[in-house]
Amino acid sequence: MPEASEPLPPQKPATLTKEEESFIVETVRRFYGDNAVVRNFGPAPDRIDLHVEAEIGRDMTLYDCLGVLLTRIDRAAISLEITKRGSKVYGPAKIAYRQGVIL
């Protein structure tokens, strides 16, 4: 069996301005509650990758929240991953837990 290659080093998330950061946190907490945890984890500067851990799981609230974010923040793309607190983590949410920055 061939040797496994070295794991890729973690990448720092792209920086956000203070105004963007406060708007994102305010918007997410309006939709998902005051105890929602918001993480920025995407390394690309032209897009924003966000992860939210909340008491509410993935439902239509995701699209309402994403719509508000897209109207006020000027980036090529914004992605929003939602994980219900205590549930198993899948896909991009794993990256957010490992190398994301809590806003």
Side-chain angles (χ1 to χ4, degrees):
M1 189 165 195
E3 295 251 344
S5 60
E6 293 292 321
L8 294 174
Q11 297 178 342
K12 265 185 106 171
T15 58
L16 300 172
T17 65
K18 291 290 181 190
E19 292 82 23
E20 288 174 334
E21 202 172 297
S22 64
F23 178 72
I24 289 169
V25 171
E26 178 183 306
T27 303
V28 167
R29 289 191 174 159
R30 183 169 33 146
F31 285 98
Y32 288 99
D34 290 334
N35 61 352
V37 177
V38 185
R39 291 178 179 87
N40 176 23
F41 69 95
D46 63 333
R47 60 179 287 133
I48 300 174
D49 293 318
L50 300 170
H51 175 261
V52 176
E53 180 183 2
E55 298 296 326
I56 303 170
R58 187 179 174 106
D59 61 357
M60 295 305 286
T61 308
L62 165 86
Y63 302 106
D64 294 336
C65 183
L66 191 56
V68 172
L69 293 173
L70 285 167
T71 59
R72 293 279 304 272
I73 298 175
D74 187 26
R75 296 288 173 100
I78 299 174
S79 72
L80 188 60
E81 295 290 326
I82 309 296
T83 301
K84 185 174 181 178
R85 191 165 280 124
S87 65
K88 185 167 173 68
V89 181
Y90 294 101
K94 282 186 178 182
I95 297 169
Y97 277 109
R98 291 181 182 149
Q99 65 188 30
V101 174
I102 295 177
L103 304 180

